[in-house]
């Protein structure tokens, strides 16, 4: 009787562990903010969750905060998508401008940032970045002064995106 109880308990524990591993690998995973690059949206040491399932059926969208593998250091980062495939990002006059596939230029409206937010390029001056390739996304941190982002390492390939950060 005792052996039967142990086997049933072991089976139950094994099912729970496999289920949790499946959920964490394919559906949702916890994360922790490391740094100040996403302030005021996310502060250092804040816990968040990453929805990995959502991007299995849809493409990333402008304004979404994503978790991705930073291409030069292989570290996990969270940043906001601002540029989509086929667009060009320009930093001028302390703002971000987007040029669409037809050449129309518009200023990026960023209601999620404080009114006095200043955006500069990695070099500090005006800069026109390359047209974003297919399956790539231009990402920046909300704390523009403290963020290491696409202004430094370029657009992020879709294959490096882990999921969408859930508030």
């Amino acid at each position: 009787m005792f052996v039967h109880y142990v086997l049933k308990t072991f089976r139950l524990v094994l099912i729970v562990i496999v289920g949790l591993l499946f959920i964490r690998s394919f559906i949702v995973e916890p994360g922790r903010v490391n740094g100040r690059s996403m302030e005021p949206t996310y502060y250092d040491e804040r816990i968040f969750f990453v929805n990995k399932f959502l991007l299995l059926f849809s493409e990333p969208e402008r304004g979404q905060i994503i978790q991705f593998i930073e291409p030069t250091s292989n570290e996990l980062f969270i940043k906001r998508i601002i540029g989509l495939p086929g667009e060009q990002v320009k930093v001028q006059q302390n703002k971000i401008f987007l040029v669409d596939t037809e050449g129309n230029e518009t200023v990026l409206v960023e209601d999620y940032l404080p009114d006095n937010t200043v955006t500069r390029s990695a070099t500090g001056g005006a800069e026109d970045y390359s047209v974003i390739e297919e399956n790539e996304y231009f990402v920046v941190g909300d704390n523009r002064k403290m963020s290491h982002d696409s202004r430094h390492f370029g657009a992020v390939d879709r294959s490096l995106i882990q999921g969408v950060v859930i508030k």
Side-chain angles (χ1 to χ4, degrees), residues 119-147:
T119 301
R120 293 202 167 87
S121 69
T123 61
E127 189 161 347
D128 297 353
Y129 296 93
S130 301
V131 173
I132 302 167
E133 299 290 328
E134 186 177 341
N135 294 316
E136 290 187 338
Y137 299 87
F138 198 95
V139 298
V140 295
D142 288 355
N143 185 351
R144 302 294 159 78
K145 292 180 183 177
M146 302 292 292
S147 182

Side-chain angles (χ1 to χ4, degrees), residues 96-112:
I96 294 175
F97 292 83
L98 299 173
V99 181
D100 66 18
T101 55
E102 296 164 5
N104 301 316
E105 187 173 305
T106 57
V107 66
L108 178 64
V109 177
E110 299 183 281
D111 296 334
Y112 42 84

Side-chain angles (χ1 to χ4, degrees), residues 18 64 66-67 82 100 105 117 123 145-146 164:
V18 169
Q64 285 180 324
I66 58 167
Q67 182 181 55
I82 61 155
D100 66 18
E105 187 173 305
T117 300
T123 61
K145 292 180 183 177
M146 302 292 292
V164 176

Side-chain angles (χ1 to χ4, degrees), residues 14-25:
L14 186 62
I15 290 170
V16 169
I17 290 172
V18 169
L20 289 174
L21 287 173
F22 177 81
I23 289 170
R24 184 172 178 167
S25 297

